[in-house]
Amino acid sequence: LPTHLARFASAPASLFDILLWACDVCAAPRKQTLRALADHCTEIVDRDRLLFLSSRQGGAVFDELRHQAPTTLDLLQAFPSCRPPAERLLELLPPLAPRSYSICNAPTAAADKWRFAFNVVEYCIQVEGPDASTLELPRRGVCTPWLERLPCAQRILVAKRRNVSEFRMPAGPDQRPVIMVGPGTGVAPFIGFLEQRAQQLATAAAAGVSPEAAPLMWLFFGCRSRLHDFLFSTQLEQWQAEGVLSRLSTCFSRDSLSGPKYVQHAMAHHEDELMHLLLAQNALLYVCGDAKGMGKDVNDALADMLCRYSVKHPEYFDVLADVDTKQLSKVQALQVLMRWSTERRYLRDLWA
C-alpha cells in the first residue's frame, strides 16, 4: 500500500473520498504509469499505443503528449479499453501534494485570524483535433478553484509550516533599507511586512519618534492588469500615503505599451538607485513568487545590473574579472548574489 494511502488501512473510506483527498487525478502521468496502464487494455491497438508512448522510441511523441498536459483521466478516456482495477489505479496515481500559501499577517497580529492571497488557476491548452483542427481544452487548478467555492464561514484544516528560510523582517532595530519584489500573489508576505512596519511606526509615534527616521521600504509589484489583478491596491496606496511604504513601483504587462512590463524591467529602470541601496547601504532584498519565470529573471537582471554598475563604481568591488572592460563578469555577479544569500541579505521565497 502506498505511503499516502496508509491512513485508509485503519479508517475505511469510499473510493470517492480517497480520490478526492489523497490522490492527484490531475497530474500528468509518467512513462511508467503508461506502461502499467498498457497491461489493462483489452484492445491491442490501445495497448500497443501506450507501450509505444512509454518506450524510448516513442520519446518524442511522449514529450509532445506531455506538452498537452493530459491527466490520467484524459488517458482513460482516450484509451477506452484501458480499465485497470480500482486498487491498481490508486497505486499508480501520485499523492495529492500540499499547497503552501504565504500568510499576509504580521507575526505580531492576532493569531486567531490569518489572511492569504491566491489567484484561481484557469487556463486553456491547445491540442490538435481529429480533423487537424485546433481545439482549446480548459484546465483548472486543484486547490484554488476549491478555495473559491468555499462558503465564507466554512472551516478548513490548515497546517503551519516553519519558516526555515528566515524569510521575515529583521528582528529588533534595523536601519537597513528593505527592497521587496513580489508580483501577483508574491506580494502576500510583504503585506505582513508592511503591517509590521505600520505597527512599529505607531509605537514609535507614541514615543515621540518621527516616522521619517524609519528606514526605506520599497515594493516592486507587477501583474497583468491594474484594474483586474492589482492585489491589495487600496491598502498599499494608503500605506504609501501614510509613509509606511516609502516607494511603490508597479508594472502591468497587459496595460503597458512603453513602460516596464515585468518587475525585473521596473528594477532595471531604477538600476542606479537599487545598486546604491544594496552596495552602499547594505539593503535587504526579498523576492517572492514564481521560481521558473520571475525568480530566474529577477536573479539574472540583478546580475546584469551589478555588471553594469561595476563600470561606474568599481570601488564597491574587490576584483574585476574583465581587465579590458573594467567590469564585473556575469559569473562574479552571480557569486555576489550567492554571498548575499548566505549573509541573509538576499532572501527568496519561490515556488514552482
Side-chain angles (χ1 to χ4, degrees), residues 102-106 113-117 188 191-192 195 232 235 239:
S102 299
I103 297 174
C104 300
N105 303 58
K113 186 178 293 185
W114 291 348
R115 294 183 300 164
F116 62 94
I191 297 301
E195 189 176 274
F232 302 102
Q235 193 166 16
W239 275 331

Side-chain angles (χ1 to χ4, degrees), residues 264 267-268 271 274-275 278-279 285 287 294-311 317 320 327-338 340 346 348:
Q264 62 268 24
M267 294 170 69
E271 178 176 313
L274 278 177
M275 290 295 103
L278 289 165
L279 292 164
L285 175 59
V287 180
M294 185 279 304
K296 180 181 180 300
D297 291 341
V298 166
N299 198 69
D300 285 343
L302 284 167
D304 291 338
M305 283 187 267
L306 281 168
C307 291
R308 291 191 294 267
Y309 198 74
S310 68
V311 178
F317 304 92
L320 298 179
Q327 74 172 22
L328 209 66
S329 71
K330 185 68 173 282
V331 172
Q332 283 185 314
L334 292 171
Q335 288 173 344
V336 170
L337 294 176
M338 290 178 63
W340 287 352
Y346 176 32
R348 303 195 297 169

Side-chain angles (χ1 to χ4, degrees), residues 111-302:
D112 61 341
K113 186 178 293 185
W114 291 348
R115 294 183 300 164
F116 62 94
F118 65 90
N119 282 327
V120 179
V121 179
E122 295 179 320
Y123 59 98
C124 288
I125 59 171
Q126 293 186 340
V127 298
E128 185 177 325
D131 57 351
S133 61
T134 300
L135 302 177
E136 286 200 341
L137 300 181
R139 286 286 187 263
R140 289 169 63 86
V142 175
C143 190
T144 53
W146 175 76
L147 287 170
E148 184 189 33
R149 293 193 302 267
L150 289 176
C152 289
Q154 177 71 42
R155 289 180 173 269
I156 60 174
L157 181 65
V158 176
K160 288 193 297 183
R161 190 179 71 183
R162 187 169 176 267
N163 186 355
V164 294
S165 66
E166 300 183 20
F167 193 92
R168 60 173 70 90
M169 287 275 282
D174 195 312
Q175 290 301 115
R176 288 176 294 178
V178 174
I179 302 165
M180 303 164 287
V181 182
T185 55
V187 74
F190 303 132
I191 297 301
F193 284 23
L194 291 164
E195 189 176 274
Q196 182 177 343
R197 173 57 59 85
Q199 294 168 356
Q200 292 171 345
L201 290 179
T203 302
V209 179
S210 171
E212 295 179 359
L216 173 141
M217 292 194 77
W218 188 351
L219 173 64
F220 288 87
F221 174 83
C223 61
R224 289 178 296 181
S225 166
R226 173 185 283 274
L227 181 63
H228 302 292
D229 305 305
F230 194 172
L231 301 176
F232 302 102
S233 58
T234 302
Q235 193 166 16
L236 288 171
E237 289 166 355
Q238 179 182 341
W239 275 331
Q240 188 177 20
E242 294 172 351
V244 175
L245 177 60
S246 311
R247 297 183 64 173
L248 174 61
S249 296
T250 58
C251 50
F252 306 97
S253 60
R254 299 288 175 86
D255 300 342
S256 177
L257 296 177
S258 58
K261 190 173 184 179
Y262 299 116
V263 285
Q264 62 268 24
H265 302 148
M267 294 170 69
H269 186 70
H270 299 282
E271 178 176 313
D272 286 349
E273 293 175 273
L274 278 177
M275 290 295 103
H276 178 76
L277 289 170
L278 289 165
L279 292 164
Q281 300 187 35
N282 294 321
L284 301 170
L285 175 59
Y286 298 87
V287 180
C288 182
D290 170 55
K292 291 183 180 178
M294 185 279 304
K296 180 181 180 300
D297 291 341
V298 166
N299 198 69
D300 285 343
L302 284 167

